[in-house]
Amino acid sequence: MQKITKILGIAPYEELRYAMENVGSTFSNILLNTYTGDLQEGKNMALEAIHNDYDIVISRGGTAELIRKNVSIPVIDVSISIYDILGAIKLANNYTSKFAIIGYSSITETAHLICDILDYSVEIYTIDDSSDTLGLLKSLMKKGIELVLCDAITNKLALEISLNTILITSGSESIKRTFEQAIELNNHLQRLKLQNNLLTEAIENFKNDCIILSSQFELIYSSLDTEIHDSIYNYLLNKKDTTPFNETHTFYHSVNNTLYNLKVNISNKTDDIFYIVTVQKSVTPIMNSKFGVTYEDKSEVEQKLNNNLYKNPIITNDIYDKIKQINSNNSPIILLGERGIGKYIVSQSVFIRQNNNNNTMVTINSNLLNETMWKHLLNTSNGPFLEVGNTIQFNHFDKISNENFEKLITIIESTNLHINNRLIFICEKTSEGMTSKFYKELMNRMNCISFPLPTLRERKNEIPAILTMFLNKVNIENNTDIIGYEPKALATLSQYNWPGNFEQLKQVLTELVCLSKSLYITSNNVNSILAKQKIVENISYSEAGMNILFNGSKTLHEFNLDLIKLVLDQHNGNQTLTAEQLGISRTTLWRYLNK
């Protein structure tokens, strides 16, 4: 029988976790669970999960080193190969000649070797745990450095000061070699697993799922699925700060809309104290997503924003300066921009950078406001409209009904909601410059700060640089190694109108990367995919919209035929009106339909 190696992957950043999972899926003799956390966070994750009979830990860089010092099983460092660093340098050359390489010695030693062999003139800086990396990055910006090639830790610091980055990642071959090393060590680790299984078998006799914690609340054992366990464990950690666990307690906690009964018992059969938490599903139903209103604390929003590789090209220096200007101001904000422009990324940046009202971000879908939601919003015991110090974001505010608009404005004015909290209204603007009819009323009645966001068309000169930055991010997300564009391909993409802005650009690049059979994106692929995009843009459709699925396996003829049939349905089978809207003759239309 084939031996299975159980591997715990702790990735310093989300994209490496995706790559681990992709490469790991090609091995039939490993069982892989992955988490994302860097440095101290990664170490804590490893300590929490290490008792689940893992054979080996795989991580990267400083996080791997920190985990290695704190766990008893082997930790293998995912290496960065010469090819990985050379690919990053090649990609950077598409963007600018003013770049530097910063990282731990595992990166910079190889970078020095490459630059010496190829006679590249690149500034290279080696850091260690005592280095003032942030100070180094700021000094490089003053010297005119526009881009840094770096590891995950430096990448986060660079993003904080809006310095563009290309994250040097471990390619699929490097990750594959790491898994092969882990499998070779499995024979030794199996002997250790036998000892752990003794405890596991004894605890399996419990009727219910359970979690066992030490007196310091370190995880000893969990029989729960990872997602459920993580949520319950974090809930208990928060509870121990306010509840003395010197006697039996019963708590209730919801995970994915399921309510769990948590009974905490104390076991002192040994010299040490252990907490045994039995976990049982409750029969009490709970409402989904709290009546359609979502809640995120500052750390959740900050983590989501920091993990978003695309934020830097979206938040320009002008936008960043405006965020800094209003971070101590409490006036309501209207974020105005076309679809796909990054309004929610800007909103998250406003929330985490402001000095006040950053307890919780409460997000409300204005298009879904109904009586049930109103009752929840105004609930006297836990309604968000009666709380203080939060940021309340109204998504799709251009879709709010007349009745709900008047009701909301009345409530805001009568409860001082806009004084006790920060209000952010997200409004979409069409490519023709049309805005919601409520925009002017908001400006006049609420004394709002208007925050218009520029389109990609207004940043025409920056598009080649943005394409380079986005290609790096798309490569990371899709575990690919595309290092640039053919000159004609880059020119075509740079001149495109991009009505869907960053969202459309990311979708097109993702499709291009998946279709590419070489190291460069070709002009032929660009022309084919943009032809599909242009057909969609020329079709006007109702509020319900047309559900067009972009399938890379379809030919352009098949894609055109799908669109023609949708427009024909819109016009109830009238071929004359269909041909007019599509800008083709009736003969051409007939040929498509009968081919």
Side-chain angles (χ1 to χ4, degrees):
M1 184 176 177
Q2 190 180 40
K3 290 184 178 180
I4 300 298
T5 301
K6 188 174 181 182
I7 299 173
L8 169 64
I10 304 291
Y13 50 95
E14 194 72 6
E15 289 68 30
L16 180 57
R17 182 172 74 85
Y18 294 149
M20 284 182 179
E21 291 179 347
N22 287 334
V23 177
S25 65
T26 64
F27 289 84
S28 61
N29 55 345
I30 70 170
L31 179 62
L32 174 67
N33 290 319
T34 61
Y35 302 87
T36 304
D38 67 334
L39 295 179
Q40 192 68 32
E41 182 185 10
K43 184 206 78 171
N44 292 339
M45 287 180 173
L47 290 174
E48 292 170 12
I50 209 68
H51 300 283
N52 289 334
D53 294 337
Y54 288 102
D55 299 319
I56 202 158
V57 179
I58 290 178
S59 189
R60 241 279 296 272
T63 303
E65 188 60 33
L66 195 56
I67 295 173
R68 188 175 290 112
K69 294 176 182 177
N70 288 275
V71 300
S72 59
I73 66 173
V75 178
I76 297 181
D77 199 326
V78 181
S79 64
I80 294 178
S81 69
I82 289 179
Y83 179 81
D84 298 330
I85 298 176
L86 181 59
I89 293 173
K90 286 290 187 182
L91 186 58
N93 280 325
N94 294 329
Y95 176 70
T96 179
S97 59
K98 293 183 178 180
F99 66 90
I101 300 174
I102 303 176
Y104 285 87
S105 58
S106 59
I107 288 177
T108 57
E109 286 177 1
T110 306
H112 276 296
L113 177 64
I114 293 171
C115 291
D116 288 343
I117 294 173
L118 298 180
D119 197 24
Y120 287 162
S121 177
V122 180
E123 295 187 42
I124 302 173
Y125 300 89
T126 301
I127 60 172
D128 56 31
D129 294 338
S130 62
S131 299
D132 180 13
T133 308
L134 188 60
L136 172 60
L137 291 170
K138 289 180 179 178
S139 68
L140 291 177
M141 288 183 72
K142 290 180 181 178
K143 289 173 60 177
I145 294 295
E146 301 172 4
L147 177 73
V148 292
L149 281 59
C150 58
D151 55 21
I153 298 168
T154 309
N155 182 68
K156 281 191 175 183
L157 294 174
L159 292 177
E160 289 178 7
I161 60 173
S162 298
L163 177 59
N164 287 322
T165 64
I166 288 180
L167 184 60
I168 301 175
T169 61
S170 299
S172 56
E173 284 300 316
S174 299
I175 297 172
K176 181 181 177 182
R177 285 195 296 273
T178 305
F179 281 122
E180 290 170 347
Q181 293 174 40
I183 294 169
E184 291 174 1
L185 287 172
N186 189 39
N187 288 336
H188 166 71
L189 296 173
Q190 288 298 324
R191 292 194 293 271
L192 297 178
K193 284 187 65 176
L194 287 175
Q195 300 174 15
N196 293 334
N197 284 340
L198 296 174
L199 174 62
T200 303
E201 289 173 9
I203 298 175
E204 292 291 350
N205 294 324
F206 278 100
K207 279 188 176 182
N208 300 316
D209 285 318
C210 72
I211 297 173
I212 299 180
L213 306 170
S214 71
S215 56
Q216 289 76 39
F217 261 68
E218 296 170 336
L219 179 67
I220 303 298
Y221 173 84
S222 172
S223 62
L224 297 165
D225 291 340
T226 301
E227 184 179 8
I228 298 172
H229 154 75
D230 288 348
S231 181
I232 291 175
Y233 180 67
N234 290 327
Y235 172 80
L236 292 172
L237 281 179
N238 291 328
K239 278 295 180 185
K240 82 177 178 67
D241 295 330
T242 56
T243 304
F245 277 41
N246 52 8
E247 57 186 25
T248 299
H249 288 279
T250 300
F251 302 103
Y252 291 91
H253 178 62
S254 63
V255 184
N256 292 335
N257 306 317
T258 300
L259 193 65
Y260 290 89
N261 180 305
L262 313 177
K263 190 172 183 180
V264 183
N265 293 289
I266 302 174
S267 173
N268 53 4
K269 294 181 181 179
T270 63
D271 293 337
D272 200 359
I273 292 176
F274 292 88
Y275 299 106
I276 300 176
V277 185
T278 56
V279 181
Q280 189 173 14
K281 286 184 181 180
S282 173
V283 297
T284 306
I286 61 173
M287 293 297 293
N288 181 36
S289 189
K290 294 190 177 180
F291 306 96
V293 182
T294 60
Y295 300 79
E296 297 173 289
D297 62 30
K298 184 176 180 179
S299 63
E300 290 174 313
V301 176
E302 194 165 18
Q303 182 178 23
K304 183 189 297 184
L305 189 61
N306 287 340
N307 289 338
N308 191 326
L309 295 175
Y310 298 91
K311 89 169 178 179
N312 246 24
I314 291 174
I315 301 182
T316 64
N317 289 334
D318 288 342
I319 291 175
Y320 181 73
D321 289 342
K322 189 160 187 176
I323 290 175
K324 287 199 296 186
Q325 289 173 4
I326 64 176
N327 68 0
S328 58
N329 188 301
N330 201 39
S331 298
I333 298 170
I334 302 178
L335 279 175
L336 186 66
E338 294 181 13
R339 61 184 172 91
I341 204 65
K343 295 186 284 292
Y344 298 110
I345 290 177
V346 175
S347 176
Q348 291 166 358
S349 297
V350 171
F351 172 67
I352 66 171
R353 292 183 185 279
Q354 60 191 358
N355 299 332
N356 304 308
N357 302 315
N358 52 17
N359 295 335
T360 303
M361 174 169 267
V362 183
T363 302
I364 300 166
N365 189 335
S366 308
N367 195 31
L368 300 181
L369 277 168
N370 55 29
E371 285 306 314
T372 302
M373 192 185 291
W374 279 119
K375 287 179 182 178
H376 172 68
L377 295 174
L378 297 170
N379 188 301
T380 55
S381 60
N382 62 358
F385 276 13
L386 301 182
E387 294 181 356
V388 174
N390 295 331
T391 289
I392 303 176
Q393 175 176 289
F394 296 90
N395 290 352
H396 308 295
F397 198 75
D398 46 294
K399 302 289 194 306
I400 194 171
S401 67
N402 290 331
E403 179 183 354
N404 283 327
F405 175 79
E406 290 299 332
K407 185 173 183 176
L408 177 63
I409 294 298
T410 301
I411 290 171
I412 290 173
E413 293 175 339
S414 61
T415 62
N416 288 328
L417 184 68
H418 58 311
I419 297 174
N420 297 327
N421 303 273
R422 163 84 83 184
L423 305 185
I424 299 179
F425 301 94
I426 307 289
C427 287
E428 186 168 304
K429 181 175 67 171
T430 68
S431 57
E432 291 78 26
M434 299 293 291
T435 59
S436 165
K437 61 182 178 181
F438 303 118
Y439 173 73
K440 288 185 178 179
E441 284 198 62
L442 270 179
M443 291 295 295
N444 294 332
R445 296 173 65 174
M446 301 301 306
N447 193 27
C448 292
I449 298 173
S450 180
F451 203 140
L453 302 179
T455 64
L456 272 178
R457 296 185 303 280
E458 296 169 303
R459 301 175 60 184
K460 207 73 173 179
N461 294 335
E462 301 174 60
I463 290 182
I466 292 172
L467 285 166
T468 297
M469 301 298 295
F470 266 54
L471 178 57
N472 172 241
K473 319 310 180 191
V474 171
N475 268 333
I476 292 170
E477 287 187 344
N478 292 276
N479 195 31
T480 51
D481 302 304
I482 308 301
I483 63 175
Y485 306 85
E486 288 182 353
K488 287 185 178 179
L490 182 60
T492 301
L493 289 168
S494 299
Q495 293 304 314
Y496 188 62
N497 202 38
W498 299 112
N501 295 291
F502 293 104
E503 188 177 292
Q504 184 188 21
L505 187 146
K506 178 185 174 184
Q507 178 251 312
V508 166
L509 278 187
T510 301
E511 193 169 357
L512 284 168
V513 162
C514 293
L515 285 175
S516 182
K517 296 179 180 178
S518 70
L519 293 177
Y520 290 88
I521 289 174
T522 65
S523 179
N524 286 340
N525 282 345
V526 168
N527 292 334
S528 175
I529 290 173
L530 290 187
K532 295 179 184 180
Q533 297 284 326
K534 290 175 182 177
I535 292 171
V536 176
E537 293 160 25
N538 290 331
I539 297 177
S540 59
Y541 44 85
S542 64
E543 182 66 29
M546 291 184 178
N547 188 15
I548 307 292
L549 179 62
F550 289 96
N551 186 338
S553 65
K554 285 186 177 182
T555 65
L556 184 57
H557 175 82
E558 290 170 333
F559 192 85
N560 290 346
L561 184 58
D562 288 344
L563 293 171
I564 287 171
K565 288 178 179 179
L566 286 171
V567 178
L568 194 64
D569 287 342
Q570 269 197 319
H571 293 297
N572 299 317
N574 189 315
Q575 294 188 12
T576 300
L577 293 177
T578 299
E580 287 178 1
Q581 180 170 342
L582 293 173
I584 59 178
S585 68
R586 285 196 61 186
T587 303
T588 302
L589 177 64
W590 183 87
R591 286 174 180 164
Y592 265 106
L593 295 174
N594 293 277
K595 190 169 182 178

